[in-house]
Amino acid sequence: MKLVCTQGELNTNLSFTSRAVPSRPTHPVLANVLLVADADTNQVSLTAFDLSLGIRTSFNAEVLQSGIIALPAKLLNDITSRLPEGEITLEDESAAANETGEGIVVTLTPASGQYKLRAMGGEEFPELPVIEDNQPVNLTAAALIEGLRGTLFATSGDETKQVLTGVHLKVLSDTLEFAATDGHRLAVVETDNHNPEASAEEQLEVTVPARALRELERMLAHSAEPEEAIALYFDQGQVVFEWKNQRLTSRTLDGQYPAYRQLIPQQFQRELTLDRKQFLSTMERIAVLADQKNNIVKVSIDSGAQEITLSVEAQDIGSAVESMPAQISGDDIDIAFNVKYLMEGLKALPASEILMQLNSNLTPVIFTPLSGVKMTYLAMPVQLRS
């Protein structure tokens, strides 16, 4: 095998695939990245697989001789990332090496020197899962990124509640719904689903680990045009995302996902329209003191003055109060939140103006953007100790 590629292409694609290399591989070959070079198409593909998450990326190169080989992922990544920009020649010397009993040796030749690495035969590397006979759901990259940005932050980090560590995807005839909750808050995003084959009754549901979806978001942001079609395949226990020559596969999470739609109130006694950026920047200033104590911010709603006041009492440290205008309908009320949950939700809501809807100071509060993405963010208030 022999190929010539740029340091930039090799480094970028290695950095994506390396994230699917296990830190403690159950089998030696899994510590490698599989490199396949095709002289007919001048394409090089890199694959990493930890038996749960699999990533394959492809890029153009000058392939002088086709071949397949498994290279030590961490070492290759560490070397490539430090090489200067420019062309790199990658060649395996297996024939010559076998005569000296060294096994497979791969030579990396940048402009400035030469690196030799021990490698393994590619035939030992496990195949990425393939889902056959399934009609894909087709989405644009922009819709998928929109859904992930609006929900990933709300997943749980608690491995004991495994199903909550993922994003729940629900396919309807013309929309794809993303939902994430950690038990304290809930984020739901609806995006267009370009799947004319799906019937109105057809409904697929699957929960995908947040770890896999974070990698998907990184890859899409780097390698996909906003309107590019992304094919999404579901099967028992497996999900596959495909576009261009890129592929990400992941195991799905078992377990019943909470019936989150039932948590969202349908009627409200109070409604506020707020400038999102002003609300967020006020919250960020107030949070400096909230972080010192219990992370709680009090929001006092004053319909007479048409303003809200944010306040923090950090005992033995200090206090802070800031007010901002709001369009308010409904009676005055004081309500308190965990400042971290509120800020993360406000950052994810993609609109200049948002609607805040609530009933009492201990029932769910809903935030929605007034334009753009169809997103709902639910935050549970916390009890104020008088």
Side-chain angles (χ1 to χ4, degrees):
M1 180 195 72
K2 186 174 182 180
L3 65 98
V4 180
C5 65
T6 67
Q7 181 271 345
E9 285 278 27
L10 185 58
N11 184 40
T12 300
N13 285 276
L14 269 174
S15 72
F16 285 130
T17 47
S18 296
R19 296 169 84 93
V21 176
S23 50
R24 293 188 185 90
T26 51
H27 191 282
V29 78
L30 297 178
N32 290 266
V33 59
L34 182 73
L35 186 149
V36 179
D38 187 336
D40 294 333
T41 60
N42 274 318
Q43 282 273 311
V44 174
S45 79
L46 297 173
T47 306
F49 189 28
D50 66 6
L51 303 183
S52 173
L53 171 67
I55 295 174
R56 174 173 296 154
T57 70
S58 301
F59 59 96
N60 293 323
E62 186 187 351
V63 181
L64 303 165
Q65 194 180 343
S66 297
I68 174 167
I69 200 159
L71 293 152
K74 186 176 185 316
L75 199 56
L76 184 62
N77 201 12
D78 286 351
I79 292 168
T80 306
S81 63
R82 289 167 173 80
L83 289 177
E85 287 180 17
E87 287 193 338
I88 296 173
T89 303
L90 210 135
E91 189 173 7
D92 82 38
E93 303 169 7
S94 42
N98 282 335
E99 289 166 20
T100 61
E102 279 187 30
I104 304 171
V105 176
V106 169
T107 306
L108 244 78
T109 313
S112 54
Q114 193 177 71
Y115 294 79
K116 287 183 183 285
L117 300 177
R118 290 283 182 89
M120 296 173 78
E123 60 284 345
E124 287 182 58
F125 202 87
E127 283 288 325
L128 286 189
V130 176
I131 296 176
E132 290 173 350
D133 308 326
N134 263 11
Q135 191 65 37
V137 176
N138 291 307
L139 291 160
T140 62
L144 200 43
I145 290 171
E146 192 176 272
L148 295 176
R149 282 192 181 148
T151 52
L152 268 172
F153 72 95
T155 54
S156 174
D158 183 354
E159 290 296 329
T160 60
K161 302 175 188 159
Q162 191 127 47
V163 78
L164 300 186
T165 63
V167 173
H168 191 69
L169 302 179
K170 191 186 284 187
V171 181
L172 305 163
S173 59
D174 52 0
T175 58
L176 180 67
E177 190 167 281
F178 299 73
T181 180
D182 60 4
H184 303 284
R185 61 218 174 137
L186 163 71
V188 182
V189 177
E190 287 177 59
T191 65
D192 292 334
N193 154 25
H194 305 288
N195 193 23
E197 305 292 326
S199 65
E201 293 76 43
E202 185 175 7
Q203 194 168 318
L204 290 163
E205 293 190 49
V206 67
T207 309
V208 185
R211 176 186 166 225
L213 293 175
R214 284 193 185 98
E215 297 312 324
L216 176 67
E217 189 188 355
R218 285 178 75 237
M219 288 171 72
L220 288 172
H222 179 265
S223 68
E225 297 296 322
E227 291 308 307
E228 187 152 349
I230 314 294
L232 163 56
Y233 296 88
F234 293 89
D235 201 5
Q236 268 335 96
Q238 204 69 39
V239 62
V240 176
F241 296 87
E242 275 187 342
W243 69 101
K244 274 194 254 180
N245 301 310
Q246 319 295 336
R247 186 156 184 241
L248 183 141
T249 77
S250 173
R251 279 197 186 152
T252 58
L253 293 171
D254 294 331
Q256 182 71 41
Y257 202 78
Y260 54 87
R261 281 278 170 199
Q262 294 172 14
L263 305 173
I264 303 171
Q266 298 305 305
Q267 291 176 310
F268 300 96
Q269 293 162 15
R270 298 170 173 87
E271 287 197 348
L272 294 80
T273 302
L274 298 152
D275 181 299
R276 183 186 71 92
K277 279 190 175 161
Q278 190 179 1
F279 192 23
L280 179 59
S281 57
T282 306
M283 190 81 61
E284 284 171 336
R285 290 191 292 274
I286 285 273
V288 174
L289 272 164
D291 284 348
Q292 299 290 322
K293 198 70 184 167
N294 52 13
N295 270 322
I296 291 182
V297 60
K298 182 168 93 172
V299 180
S300 303
I301 295 168
D302 185 340
S303 59
Q306 290 288 297
E307 68 174 21
I308 61 168
T309 301
L310 278 64
S311 58
V312 168
E313 284 285 343
Q315 222 172 353
D316 307 329
I317 297 162
S319 62
V321 180
E322 275 212 44
S323 297
M324 63 169 278
Q327 292 172 33
I328 302 167
S329 67
D331 297 336
D332 296 358
I333 194 171
D334 288 348
I335 189 164
F337 295 95
N338 176 310
V339 73
K340 171 180 171 277
Y341 292 159
L342 206 48
M343 286 201 308
E344 287 184 350
L346 289 172
K347 283 175 185 168
L349 283 160
S352 54
E353 283 196 310
I354 55 170
L355 186 65
M356 175 179 172
Q357 297 168 296
L358 64 147
N359 288 312
S360 75
N361 59 357
L362 288 176
T363 54
V365 179
I366 303 298
F367 298 88
T368 48
L370 281 179
S371 60
V373 179
K374 285 183 75 176
M375 177 175 170
T376 303
Y377 182 62
L378 178 154
M380 285 304 294
V382 294
Q383 194 152 8
L384 270 172
R385 291 191 174 82
S386 51

